[in-house]
Amino acid sequence: MKHAGHALPVHPAACDVPGRATSHVDDLLVQIAHGSRDALGELYDLLAPLLLELLRARLPDGADARSALVDGFSRVWRQAPSYAPGPHGIDWVIDRVTDAR
């Protein structure tokens, strides 16, 4: 695609288009529920920076946000089979990652 004589970058990931991010996360969660480690890695790459900052803001001073992030994504992996597809996927992930149980 070109605009004003310049080539525009093409972004293959669905989440580069904000309106499609929710459906992309939902798709990844369904794949994770079916055992896709690649989908878990893609979800991590997509959401980890945001979730790490969220954890840093929510955890007490001195708490290890990176460790909490890894624990949270472990919960996502274990609980993905119970995920009910829909537009709430990002909220579902945030709940699992920020749940300190």
Side-chain angles (χ1 to χ4, degrees):
M1 182 183 336
K2 293 194 181 247
H3 180 68
H6 302 287
L8 295 176
V10 176
H11 300 286
C15 53
D16 287 337
V17 180
R20 294 179 60 196
T22 299
S23 64
H24 186 60
V25 168
D26 182 66
D27 291 343
L28 290 172
L29 287 169
V30 170
Q31 292 173 43
I32 294 165
H34 286 93
S36 174
R37 292 179 188 271
D38 290 338
L40 181 66
E42 189 174 339
L43 185 70
Y44 183 90
D45 291 344
L46 179 67
L47 297 179
L50 169 75
L51 293 171
L52 186 58
E53 290 306 313
L54 182 63
L55 286 166
R56 285 182 177 144
R58 289 186 175 185
L59 292 174
D61 287 342
D64 186 358
R66 289 187 186 277
S67 178
L69 182 67
V70 171
D71 291 345
F73 270 91
S74 292
R75 280 190 294 279
V76 168
W77 175 257
R78 287 190 314 271
Q79 295 177 17
S82 69
Y83 172 70
H88 58 278
I90 293 173
D91 293 332
W92 190 90
V93 172
I94 290 170
D95 288 347
R96 266 100 205 129
V97 171
T98 60
D99 180 17
R101 285 188 275 166

